[in-house]
Amino acid sequence: MSARPPAAQAAAPQAAAPQAGVPQGAAAPGTVPNAETTGRRVEEVLDRLARRDREASTDAEELVRVLMDFYGAGLARIMHLVGSSTDADGPRAALLRDELVTSLLVLHDLHPEDTAARIGRALDSVRRQHPAEVAEFDADSGALRLRAGDAGGCGCPSTNQQAQQAVEAAVSCFAPDVTSVQWEAAGAQAEPALLQISRRPPTAATAS
């Protein structure tokens, strides 16, 4: 028998009688899930998969472990930030600045800030090494266009690509609801009009 993730091992030995219309081990509609019912439900699904396809069951167990690692890391980060916060307003600001916590909140539609504000946080998190600013953001489509700032680097293509990848990774963490990221080409900003300087102002018409 393959080892099951802790959530799957949380099932109680004696299952309660299921309600009508509710799968065994599942929480009734409108109730808050707990470790016992969730563990029982996971165990039931994994056993059903094992009877049908052993390879699919192994993949499902790995999926459960990956998700539990992700949520476990998020909970650990939350506890650390709550316990170590020195902000005058409490741990809220530290939590919203954290990439992992933000991704969990956005995943469950619990983040109090809109997408544009979270894009700003993403750019702030990498601004010292890779400055960039928003050129345009379409909230309806989720399309984001960025403009690279001056980081004082050599300007070679490899450096620019690494900077763009770092910025895009930050945006992906803080604002996963952004659907696409495009960059303005270097020198795309409009250049100032050239001033023509002469010794005397032009005349309206030249005398014939």
Side-chain angles (χ1 to χ4, degrees):
M1 178 181 295
S2 60
R4 290 289 169 82
Q9 298 171 353
Q14 192 73 25
Q19 300 182 22
V22 179
Q24 184 175 359
T31 62
V32 178
N34 56 40
E36 178 183 350
T37 57
T38 301
R40 187 183 297 123
R41 179 61 175 160
V42 171
E43 186 78 21
E44 175 188 326
V45 173
L46 292 176
D47 286 341
R48 191 164 64 243
L49 280 172
R51 289 193 297 269
R52 297 177 182 174
D53 188 330
R54 172 58 60 180
E55 185 176 351
S57 175
T58 302
D59 291 342
E61 291 182 13
E62 182 180 358
L63 175 61
V64 172
R65 280 191 291 269
V66 170
L67 289 175
M68 291 195 65
D69 288 344
F70 176 60
Y71 281 96
L75 290 172
R77 187 73 59 83
I78 290 172
M79 294 303 296
H80 170 72
L81 294 174
V82 168
S84 61
S85 175
T86 57
D87 292 330
D89 297 331
R92 176 188 170 95
L95 291 171
L96 296 184
R97 286 195 302 265
D98 187 84
E99 294 183 7
L100 179 56
V101 175
T102 291
S103 62
L104 285 170
L105 294 175
V106 173
L107 180 63
H108 293 280
D109 199 22
L110 296 173
H111 202 287
E113 297 178 336
D114 61 14
T115 307
R118 288 184 279 107
I119 291 172
R121 286 189 179 275
L123 300 183
D124 287 342
S125 71
V126 296
R127 193 176 302 280
R128 288 185 179 179
Q129 294 80 19
H130 312 295
E133 54 189 40
V134 175
E136 183 181 7
F137 173 60
D138 186 347
D140 293 331
S141 66
L144 173 64
R145 187 158 52 89
L146 296 174
R147 180 185 304 117
D150 183 10
C154 64
C156 58
S158 60
T159 302
N160 292 338
Q161 184 177 8
Q162 291 173 1
Q164 291 180 2
Q165 290 175 348
V167 173
E168 290 173 13
V171 171
S172 178
C173 290
F174 280 94
D177 34 349
V178 169
T179 57
S180 65
V181 178
Q182 295 181 339
W183 290 86
E184 282 191 349
Q189 297 91 335
E191 296 187 2
L194 179 63
L195 297 179
Q196 298 292 341
I197 302 177
S198 61
R199 295 188 179 182
R200 60 182 180 181
T203 57
T206 302
S208 55

